[in-house]
Amino acid sequence: MISKNNTTYPESSPLAIAIGVFIGVLMTASFSYAALVLGFSTNGSPVAAVLGWGIMRAIFKRGTIVENNIIQTVASGINTSTAGVIFTVPVLLIRGVEFDFWWIAAAAISGAILGVGFIIPLRKQMIDVDRLRFPSGTAIASVLRSPAEGMKKSKLLLYGALLSATVYVIVQFPKLGLPKIIPASIDFTQILGLPTYISNEWAISFLSLGIGFIAGRNGLFVLAGGILSYWIIVPIVISLGWIPPEITIENSASFIHSVMTRPLGIGMLIGGSLMSIVLILPAIKATIKSFNVKSMKDSGSDELPIKVLYIVIAIGFTLFFSAAYSTSSVGLFTALLISIVSIVWLLFAGIIVSQATGMTDWTPISGMSLIAVALLMMFLSSDEIVTAVLIGAAISVAIAECADMMQDLKTGYLVGSRPVKQQTVQIFVAGIGPIVSLAVMLLIWNSGAIDPTTGVKLPGFGPGTDIEAPQAVALGATIDSVIDGNVPTSKFLAGGIIGALLSFTALPGLGVIIGISMYLSIKYILPYGLGSLLSIIIARRKGKEWTEKWGVPFSAGLIVGEALLIIIFAMLTVLGVL
């Protein structure tokens, strides 16, 4: 452990913070696109730790373990808000609802601040007393302890990024006026002579492949959910004659997906998320019971002073309430009541997700946010969709920040960092992520092509486009069912029971994982599943340690390279260059 009075080894240096911000913005931009495409993202902390060593040692010829830990803390604190924004806000664009960018940003920033502020007092219980493992945080600590390997891994990440970026550019040759060499996707349905309702399209996406490789064995459950949805349920429903006669065989798969498999998947997501609360209730009770303001006051300079946290939480709540009140037509008292209830749910959900992350390394963020938005829509009128989504985004961001802050503190605990350093930097930088993620979302939305037949500008993502934004589509379907009073109760209930039962398996998040994958796009699930299979095969031949050391950094590069090229092409499109 490094003494708190040690001045030999720099920790939260200005250079470390600056590099962390740079990497965080880079990852946020990349993973925002990945979340729009796939419907889920991945943990960015390992990428930040690898890049941190590469930049510090290759460019600045310096760097300590604790200094690089600050880099990954800053970077992950910025990047972790990606899912909270991308899973919620795009639904407003898809539905054509006007909203104020800065009020949405203010709400998301408030969520980031509140998430960090609320979870800090529970550090001692989760890490010192309960000694939760936080698998990803433990793995990151091993990366930080290996500076020499960090340099080699940084090169691998760069090679992966160059490969995926090069392939993406070749795929986009037609946009550049060059002949098509590689298609954007390959449809094996006709090639294999399969029925037209069997979706067997593979996107040429190294990003999907890379995320699947990093997921490893657990990624097979995502593949299983997609296969269940598209290759098993669809043929069974058609063979039983359960589709209306006016639906053509060509449109039967999309019809079944919208009226059956998507509601079932949403139900499994909600059921699995709620069951996670039940399963870890004893741990939650112990954590809440352990909260002691006096212990925060007596912790000296190792923890952020409780007075600072009071100020942080007050600022976060003020932003949250201002955004909720300014975007709705409800009265002051109602807005205040909604804000208080939302903050209570935010705190409760944040503890749940932090506990789940510490025990199993999975985070049911989308389930918690979907529940919050659905309940708000039941309470508010149908005209208040912006407010409901705004609050849902804030809650989602806060939940993600809770889990990330605790995971970073676990890493710091293992490598000898001072908690107060990590807590301080994350509070100050967490609000950067939502702005970057929202900006990327709008950039991609405005990069849609012009329809040559109508002259109308097409959206950059959503149904009918290459970027389907499945989480936003699922949230929109749930909102519609609540507004129309046509909630598919039986399908939600059936899915909820299945999701809850799957949560009792060896993988507690199984119900959530399969539920989400049932409404994702099959053309991205298939390369994702291929990445998972490759990870398993290579691990058997080369060993698990080799796969994690060298395969994961290369795969992270595959994600970053394609995502950054997508954003560059989107910028060129918006500027009229393409």
Coordinates of all heavy atoms in Angstrom, one line a residue, residues 485-550:
G485 N -53.1 2.2 -23.4 CA -53.8 1.3 -22.6 C -53.9 -0.1 -23.1 O -54.8 -0.9 -22.8
N486 N -52.9 -0.5 -23.9 CA -52.9 -1.8 -24.6 C -51.7 -2.6 -24.2 O -50.9 -3.1 -25.1 CB -53.0 -1.6 -26.1 CG -53.2 -2.9 -26.8 OD1 -53.8 -3.8 -26.3 ND2 -52.7 -3.0 -28.1
V487 N -51.4 -2.6 -22.9 CA -50.2 -3.3 -22.4 C -50.4 -4.8 -22.7 O -51.4 -5.4 -22.2 CB -49.9 -3.1 -20.9 CG1 -48.7 -3.8 -20.4 CG2 -49.7 -1.6 -20.7
P488 N -49.4 -5.5 -23.4 CA -49.5 -6.9 -23.6 C -49.2 -7.7 -22.3 O -48.2 -8.4 -22.1 CB -48.5 -7.2 -24.7 CG -47.5 -6.2 -24.5 CD -48.2 -4.9 -24.0
T489 N -50.2 -7.6 -21.4 CA -50.0 -8.1 -20.0 C -49.6 -9.6 -20.0 O -48.6 -10.0 -19.3 CB -51.2 -7.9 -19.2 OG1 -51.6 -6.6 -19.2 CG2 -51.0 -8.3 -17.7
S490 N -50.3 -10.4 -20.8 CA -50.0 -11.9 -20.8 C -48.6 -12.2 -21.2 O -47.9 -13.0 -20.6 CB -51.0 -12.6 -21.6 OG -50.9 -12.1 -23.0
K491 N -48.1 -11.5 -22.3 CA -46.7 -11.7 -22.8 C -45.7 -11.2 -21.8 O -44.7 -11.8 -21.6 CB -46.6 -11.1 -24.2 CG -47.5 -11.7 -25.2 CD -47.3 -11.0 -26.6 CE -48.2 -11.6 -27.6 NZ -49.6 -11.2 -27.4
F492 N -46.0 -10.0 -21.2 CA -45.0 -9.4 -20.2 C -44.9 -10.4 -19.0 O -43.9 -10.6 -18.5 CB -45.5 -8.1 -19.8 CG -45.1 -6.9 -20.7 CD1 -45.6 -5.6 -20.5 CD2 -44.4 -7.2 -21.9 CE1 -45.2 -4.6 -21.3 CE2 -44.0 -6.1 -22.7 CZ -44.4 -4.8 -22.5
L493 N -46.1 -10.9 -18.6 CA -46.1 -11.7 -17.4 C -45.4 -13.1 -17.7 O -44.6 -13.5 -16.9 CB -47.6 -12.0 -17.0 CG -47.8 -12.9 -15.8 CD1 -47.2 -12.2 -14.6 CD2 -49.3 -13.1 -15.5
A494 N -45.7 -13.7 -18.9 CA -45.0 -14.9 -19.2 C -43.5 -14.7 -19.3 O -42.7 -15.5 -18.8 CB -45.6 -15.4 -20.6
G495 N -43.1 -13.6 -20.0 CA -41.7 -13.3 -20.1 C -41.1 -13.1 -18.7 O -40.0 -13.5 -18.4
G496 N -41.8 -12.4 -17.9 CA -41.4 -12.0 -16.5 C -41.1 -13.3 -15.7 O -40.1 -13.4 -15.0
I497 N -42.0 -14.3 -15.8 CA -41.9 -15.5 -15.0 C -40.6 -16.3 -15.5 O -39.8 -16.8 -14.7 CB -43.1 -16.4 -15.2 CG1 -44.3 -15.7 -14.5 CG2 -42.9 -17.8 -14.6 CD1 -45.7 -16.4 -14.7
I498 N -40.5 -16.3 -16.8 CA -39.3 -17.0 -17.4 C -38.0 -16.3 -17.0 O -37.1 -17.0 -16.6 CB -39.4 -17.1 -19.0 CG1 -40.6 -17.9 -19.4 CG2 -38.1 -17.7 -19.5 CD1 -40.9 -17.8 -20.9
G499 N -38.0 -15.0 -17.1 CA -36.8 -14.2 -16.7 C -36.5 -14.4 -15.2 O -35.3 -14.5 -14.9
A500 N -37.5 -14.4 -14.4 CA -37.3 -14.6 -13.0 C -36.7 -16.0 -12.7 O -35.8 -16.2 -11.9 CB -38.6 -14.4 -12.2
L501 N -37.3 -17.0 -13.3 CA -36.8 -18.4 -13.1 C -35.4 -18.6 -13.6 O -34.6 -19.2 -12.9 CB -37.7 -19.4 -13.8 CG -39.1 -19.5 -13.3 CD1 -40.0 -20.4 -14.1 CD2 -39.1 -20.1 -11.8
L502 N -35.0 -17.9 -14.7 CA -33.7 -18.0 -15.2 C -32.6 -17.4 -14.3 O -31.5 -17.7 -14.3 CB -33.6 -17.4 -16.6 CG -34.2 -18.2 -17.8 CD1 -34.2 -17.4 -19.1 CD2 -33.5 -19.5 -18.0
S503 N -33.1 -16.5 -13.5 CA -32.2 -15.8 -12.5 C -31.7 -16.7 -11.4 O -30.8 -16.4 -10.7 CB -32.9 -14.6 -11.9 OG -33.2 -13.6 -12.9
F504 N -32.4 -17.9 -11.3 CA -31.9 -18.8 -10.2 C -30.9 -19.8 -10.7 O -30.4 -20.6 -10.0 CB -33.1 -19.6 -9.8 CG -34.1 -18.9 -8.9 CD1 -35.2 -18.3 -9.4 CD2 -33.8 -18.6 -7.5 CE1 -36.1 -17.6 -8.6 CE2 -34.6 -17.9 -6.7 CZ -35.8 -17.4 -7.3
T505 N -30.4 -19.6 -12.0 CA -29.4 -20.4 -12.5 C -28.0 -20.0 -12.0 O -27.9 -19.0 -11.3 CB -29.4 -20.4 -14.1 OG1 -29.2 -19.1 -14.5 CG2 -30.8 -20.9 -14.6
A506 N -27.0 -20.7 -12.5 CA -25.6 -20.3 -12.1 C -25.2 -18.9 -12.5 O -24.3 -18.3 -11.9 CB -24.6 -21.4 -12.7
L507 N -25.9 -18.4 -13.6 CA -25.6 -17.0 -14.0 C -26.8 -16.2 -13.6 O -27.8 -16.2 -14.3 CB -25.4 -17.0 -15.5 CG -25.0 -15.6 -16.1 CD1 -23.6 -15.2 -15.6 CD2 -24.9 -15.7 -17.6
P508 N -26.7 -15.4 -12.5 CA -27.8 -14.6 -12.0 C -28.5 -13.7 -13.1 O -29.6 -13.4 -13.0 CB -27.2 -13.8 -10.9 CG -26.0 -14.6 -10.4 CD -25.5 -15.2 -11.7
G509 N -27.7 -13.2 -14.0 CA -28.2 -12.2 -15.0 C -28.8 -12.9 -16.2 O -29.0 -12.2 -17.2
L510 N -28.9 -14.2 -16.2 CA -29.3 -14.9 -17.4 C -30.6 -14.5 -18.0 O -30.8 -14.3 -19.2 CB -29.3 -16.4 -17.2 CG -29.6 -17.3 -18.4 CD1 -28.5 -17.1 -19.4 CD2 -29.6 -18.8 -17.9
G511 N -31.6 -14.3 -17.1 CA -32.9 -13.8 -17.6 C -32.9 -12.5 -18.3 O -33.5 -12.3 -19.3
V512 N -32.1 -11.6 -17.8 CA -31.9 -10.2 -18.4 C -31.2 -10.4 -19.7 O -31.6 -9.8 -20.7 CB -31.2 -9.3 -17.4 CG1 -30.9 -8.0 -18.1 CG2 -32.0 -9.1 -16.2
I513 N -30.1 -11.2 -19.7 CA -29.3 -11.3 -21.0 C -30.1 -11.9 -22.1 O -30.1 -11.3 -23.2 CB -28.1 -12.2 -20.7 CG1 -27.1 -11.5 -19.7 CG2 -27.3 -12.5 -22.0 CD1 -26.0 -12.3 -19.2
I514 N -30.8 -13.0 -21.9 CA -31.6 -13.6 -22.9 C -32.8 -12.7 -23.3 O -33.2 -12.6 -24.5 CB -32.1 -15.0 -22.5 CG1 -30.9 -15.9 -22.4 CG2 -33.1 -15.6 -23.5 CD1 -31.2 -17.3 -22.0
G515 N -33.4 -12.0 -22.3 CA -34.5 -11.1 -22.6 C -34.1 -10.0 -23.5 O -34.8 -9.7 -24.5
I516 N -33.0 -9.4 -23.3 CA -32.5 -8.3 -24.1 C -32.2 -8.8 -25.5 O -32.6 -8.2 -26.5 CB -31.2 -7.7 -23.6 CG1 -31.6 -6.9 -22.3 CG2 -30.6 -6.7 -24.6 CD1 -30.3 -6.3 -21.6
S517 N -31.6 -10.0 -25.6 CA -31.2 -10.5 -26.9 C -32.4 -10.9 -27.8 O -32.2 -11.0 -29.0 CB -30.2 -11.7 -26.8 OG -30.8 -12.7 -26.1
M518 N -33.5 -11.1 -27.2 CA -34.7 -11.5 -28.0 C -35.3 -10.4 -28.8 O -36.0 -10.6 -29.7 CB -35.8 -12.1 -27.1 CG -35.4 -13.5 -26.6 SD -36.8 -14.2 -25.6 CE -38.0 -14.5 -26.9
Y519 N -34.9 -9.1 -28.5 CA -35.4 -8.0 -29.3 C -34.3 -7.3 -30.0 O -34.5 -6.2 -30.5 CB -36.3 -7.1 -28.6 CG -35.8 -6.4 -27.3 CD1 -34.9 -5.4 -27.4 CD2 -36.2 -6.9 -26.0 CE1 -34.4 -4.7 -26.3 CE2 -35.7 -6.3 -24.9 CZ -34.8 -5.2 -25.0 OH -34.3 -4.6 -23.9
L520 N -33.1 -7.8 -30.0 CA -32.0 -7.2 -30.7 C -32.0 -7.7 -32.2 O -32.7 -8.6 -32.6 CB -30.6 -7.6 -30.1 CG -30.4 -7.2 -28.6 CD1 -29.1 -7.6 -28.1 CD2 -30.6 -5.7 -28.4
S521 N -31.2 -7.0 -33.0 CA -31.1 -7.3 -34.4 C -30.3 -8.6 -34.7 O -29.1 -8.7 -34.2 CB -30.5 -6.2 -35.2 OG -30.3 -6.5 -36.6
I522 N -30.8 -9.6 -35.4 CA -30.1 -10.8 -35.6 C -28.8 -10.7 -36.4 O -27.9 -11.4 -36.2 CB -31.0 -11.9 -36.3 CG1 -30.4 -13.3 -36.3 CG2 -31.4 -11.4 -37.7 CD1 -30.3 -13.9 -35.0
K523 N -28.8 -9.7 -37.3 CA -27.6 -9.5 -38.1 C -26.4 -9.1 -37.3 O -25.3 -9.2 -37.8 CB -27.9 -8.6 -39.3 CG -28.0 -7.1 -38.9 CD -28.3 -6.3 -40.2 CE -28.4 -4.8 -40.0 NZ -28.6 -4.1 -41.2
Y524 N -26.6 -8.5 -36.2 CA -25.5 -8.1 -35.3 C -25.3 -9.2 -34.2 O -24.1 -9.3 -33.7 CB -25.7 -6.8 -34.7 CG -25.6 -5.6 -35.7 CD1 -26.8 -5.0 -36.1 CD2 -24.4 -5.3 -36.2 CE1 -26.7 -4.0 -37.0 CE2 -24.3 -4.3 -37.2 CZ -25.5 -3.6 -37.6 OH -25.4 -2.6 -38.5
I525 N -26.3 -9.9 -33.8 CA -26.2 -11.0 -32.8 C -25.3 -12.1 -33.4 O -24.5 -12.6 -32.6 CB -27.6 -11.5 -32.4 CG1 -28.3 -10.5 -31.6 CG2 -27.4 -12.8 -31.6 CD1 -29.7 -11.0 -31.2
L526 N -25.4 -12.4 -34.7 CA -24.7 -13.5 -35.2 C -23.2 -13.3 -35.2 O -22.4 -14.1 -34.8 CB -25.2 -13.8 -36.7 CG -26.6 -14.4 -36.7 CD1 -27.1 -14.5 -38.1 CD2 -26.7 -15.7 -36.0
P527 N -22.6 -12.1 -35.7 CA -21.2 -11.9 -35.6 C -20.8 -11.8 -34.1 O -19.6 -12.2 -33.8 CB -20.9 -10.6 -36.4 CG -22.3 -10.0 -36.5 CD -23.3 -11.1 -36.5
Y528 N -21.6 -11.2 -33.3 CA -21.3 -11.2 -31.8 C -21.1 -12.6 -31.3 O -20.2 -12.9 -30.6 CB -22.5 -10.5 -31.1 CG -22.4 -10.5 -29.6 CD1 -21.8 -9.4 -29.0 CD2 -22.8 -11.5 -28.8 CE1 -21.7 -9.3 -27.6 CE2 -22.8 -11.5 -27.5 CZ -22.2 -10.4 -26.8 OH -22.1 -10.4 -25.5
G529 N -22.1 -13.5 -31.6 CA -22.0 -14.9 -31.2 C -20.7 -15.6 -31.7 O -20.1 -16.4 -31.0
L530 N -20.3 -15.2 -33.0 CA -19.1 -15.8 -33.6 C -17.9 -15.4 -32.8 O -17.0 -16.2 -32.5 CB -19.0 -15.3 -35.0 CG -17.7 -15.8 -35.8 CD1 -17.6 -17.3 -35.8 CD2 -17.7 -15.2 -37.2
G531 N -17.9 -14.1 -32.3 CA -16.8 -13.6 -31.5 C -16.7 -14.4 -30.2 O -15.6 -14.7 -29.7
S532 N -17.9 -14.7 -29.6 CA -17.9 -15.5 -28.3 C -17.3 -16.9 -28.6 O -16.5 -17.4 -27.8 CB -19.3 -15.6 -27.8 OG -19.8 -14.3 -27.5
L533 N -17.7 -17.5 -29.7 CA -17.2 -18.8 -30.0 C -15.7 -18.8 -30.2 O -15.0 -19.7 -29.8 CB -18.0 -19.4 -31.3 CG -19.4 -19.8 -31.1 CD1 -20.1 -20.1 -32.4 CD2 -19.5 -21.0 -30.2
L534 N -15.2 -17.8 -30.9 CA -13.8 -17.7 -31.2 C -13.0 -17.6 -29.9 O -12.0 -18.2 -29.7 CB -13.5 -16.5 -32.1 CG -13.9 -16.7 -33.6 CD1 -13.6 -15.3 -34.3 CD2 -13.0 -17.7 -34.2
S535 N -13.6 -16.8 -28.9 CA -13.0 -16.6 -27.6 C -12.9 -18.0 -26.9 O -11.8 -18.3 -26.3 CB -13.8 -15.6 -26.8 OG -13.3 -15.5 -25.5
I536 N -13.9 -18.8 -26.9 CA -13.9 -20.1 -26.3 C -12.9 -21.0 -26.9 O -12.1 -21.7 -26.2 CB -15.3 -20.7 -26.3 CG1 -16.3 -19.8 -25.5 CG2 -15.3 -22.1 -25.8 CD1 -17.7 -20.2 -25.6
I537 N -12.9 -21.0 -28.3 CA -12.0 -21.9 -29.0 C -10.5 -21.6 -28.7 O -9.7 -22.4 -28.4 CB -12.3 -21.9 -30.5 CG1 -13.7 -22.5 -30.8 CG2 -11.2 -22.6 -31.3 CD1 -14.2 -22.2 -32.2
I538 N -10.2 -20.3 -28.8 CA -8.8 -19.8 -28.5 C -8.4 -20.1 -27.1 O -7.3 -20.5 -26.8 CB -8.7 -18.4 -28.9 CG1 -8.9 -18.2 -30.4 CG2 -7.3 -17.8 -28.5 CD1 -8.9 -16.7 -30.9
A539 N -9.4 -19.9 -26.2 CA -9.1 -20.2 -24.7 C -8.7 -21.6 -24.5 O -7.9 -22.0 -23.7 CB -10.2 -19.7 -23.9
R540 N -9.4 -22.5 -25.2 CA -9.1 -23.9 -25.1 C -7.8 -24.3 -25.6 O -7.1 -25.2 -25.1 CB -10.2 -24.8 -25.7 CG -11.5 -24.8 -25.0 CD -12.6 -25.6 -25.6 NE -13.8 -25.7 -24.9 CZ -14.9 -26.3 -25.3 NH1 -14.9 -26.9 -26.4 NH2 -16.0 -26.3 -24.5
R541 N -7.4 -23.6 -26.7 CA -6.1 -24.0 -27.4 C -4.9 -23.3 -26.8 O -3.8 -23.8 -26.7 CB -6.2 -23.7 -28.9 CG -7.2 -24.6 -29.6 CD -7.1 -24.4 -31.1 NE -8.0 -25.3 -31.8 CZ -8.1 -25.4 -33.1 NH1 -7.4 -24.6 -33.9 NH2 -9.0 -26.2 -33.7
K542 N -5.1 -22.0 -26.5 CA -4.0 -21.2 -26.0 C -4.0 -20.9 -24.5 O -3.1 -20.5 -23.9 CB -4.0 -19.8 -26.7 CG -3.9 -19.9 -28.2 CD -2.6 -20.3 -28.7 CE -1.5 -19.3 -28.5 NZ -0.2 -19.6 -29.1
G543 N -5.2 -21.2 -23.9 CA -5.3 -21.0 -22.4 C -6.1 -19.7 -22.2 O -6.1 -18.7 -22.9
K544 N -6.9 -19.7 -21.1 CA -7.7 -18.6 -20.7 C -6.9 -17.3 -20.4 O -7.2 -16.2 -20.8 CB -8.5 -18.9 -19.5 CG -9.5 -17.8 -19.1 CD -10.4 -18.2 -17.9 CE -11.3 -17.1 -17.5 NZ -12.2 -17.5 -16.3
E545 N -5.7 -17.5 -19.8 CA -4.9 -16.3 -19.4 C -4.3 -15.7 -20.7 O -4.3 -14.5 -20.8 CB -3.7 -16.8 -18.6 CG -2.8 -15.6 -18.1 CD -1.7 -16.1 -17.2 OE1 -1.7 -17.3 -16.8 OE2 -0.9 -15.3 -16.8
W546 N -3.9 -16.5 -21.7 CA -3.4 -15.9 -22.9 C -4.5 -15.2 -23.7 O -4.3 -14.1 -24.2 CB -2.9 -17.1 -23.8 CG -2.1 -16.6 -25.1 CD1 -0.8 -16.4 -25.2 CD2 -2.7 -16.2 -26.3 NE1 -0.5 -16.0 -26.5 CE2 -1.7 -15.8 -27.2 CE3 -4.0 -16.1 -26.8 CZ2 -1.9 -15.4 -28.5 CZ3 -4.3 -15.7 -28.1 CH2 -3.2 -15.3 -28.9
T547 N -5.7 -15.7 -23.7 CA -6.8 -15.1 -24.3 C -7.2 -13.7 -23.7 O -7.4 -12.8 -24.5 CB -8.1 -16.0 -24.3 OG1 -7.7 -17.3 -24.8 CG2 -9.2 -15.4 -25.1
E548 N -7.2 -13.7 -22.4 CA -7.5 -12.4 -21.7 C -6.4 -11.4 -21.9 O -6.6 -10.2 -22.0 CB -7.8 -12.7 -20.3 CG -9.0 -13.5 -20.0 CD -9.3 -13.7 -18.5 OE1 -8.4 -13.4 -17.7 OE2 -10.4 -14.2 -18.2
K549 N -5.1 -11.9 -21.9 CA -4.0 -10.9 -22.0 C -3.9 -10.3 -23.4 O -3.6 -9.1 -23.5 CB -2.7 -11.6 -21.6 CG -2.4 -11.7 -20.2 CD -1.0 -12.3 -19.9 CE -0.7 -12.3 -18.4 NZ 0.7 -12.8 -18.2
W550 N -4.0 -11.2 -24.4 CA -3.7 -10.7 -25.8 C -5.0 -10.6 -26.7 O -5.0 -9.7 -27.5 CB -2.7 -11.6 -26.4 CG -1.5 -11.8 -25.5 CD1 -1.1 -13.0 -25.0 CD2 -0.6 -10.8 -25.0 NE1 0.0 -12.8 -24.2 CE2 0.3 -11.5 -24.2 CE3 -0.5 -9.4 -25.2 CZ2 1.3 -10.8 -23.5 CZ3 0.5 -8.8 -24.5 CH2 1.4 -9.4 -23.7

